[in-house]
Amino acid sequence: VQLQASGEGLVQAGGSLRLFCAASGNITSINGMGWFRQAPGKQREFLAFVREDQSTIYQDSVKGRFTISGDNARESTFLQMNSLKPEDTAVYLCNAQTPTTKPGVSNYYWGQGTLVTVSS
């Protein structure tokens, strides 16, 4: 599975940005796609995930501001980000997951990262 993300940009606080991630390769094995981010000097942080049944989960800090959607959560996913804050500045990473034979264990695939900068 290969992932290609786009949509990076510089926005002012309170603004919006939409990120896009396209999957290619063995996409039939994907059972969900998500977004993470990593700010300088910080650990990678989960943001949102959409499963193949279109159900979604969000990190509390972005709930109500960010919306994830996907094309059956296998081919592509969008992350609509509203009411952006300077602390949202980070490299945003697209993620796809495929199941393994071990219950509860997934394979993780990552895109190259796209930079989002929010100015105050």
Side-chain angles (χ1 to χ4, degrees):
V1 175
Q2 295 81 45
L3 301 172
Q4 181 68 42
S6 60
E8 70 177 41
L10 168 65
V11 297
Q12 290 187 331
S16 298
L17 202 62
R18 194 180 199 197
L19 304 181
F20 174 72
C21 178
S24 60
N26 188 19
I27 64 171
T28 57
S29 63
I30 296 174
N31 60 7
M33 297 182 73
W35 291 90
F36 290 67
R37 68 186 178 191
Q38 189 161 15
K42 294 188 177 181
Q43 291 189 334
R44 188 168 295 182
E45 175 184 38
F46 165 77
L47 297 176
F49 189 78
V50 56
R51 302 181 184 93
E52 57 185 339
D53 64 1
Q54 299 300 300
S55 61
T56 56
I57 55 175
Y58 293 91
Q59 189 215 104
D60 286 345
S61 70
V62 304
K63 202 175 292 185
R65 297 191 300 125
F66 291 9
T67 302
I68 189 171
S69 59
D71 180 5
N72 291 323
R74 288 181 178 174
E75 296 182 358
S76 62
T77 180
F78 291 92
L79 184 68
Q80 177 67 41
M81 304 184 293
N82 299 325
S83 302
L84 284 163
K85 307 173 183 179
E87 51 264 41
D88 293 319
T89 295
V91 173
Y92 283 67
L93 298 144
C94 176
N95 164 261
Q97 297 180 20
T98 63
T100 69
T101 58
K102 297 181 180 180
V105 177
S106 298
N107 291 317
Y108 279 60
Y109 299 89
W110 299 96
Q112 82 283 9
T114 185
L115 179 62
V116 172
T117 305
V118 185
S119 62
S120 57

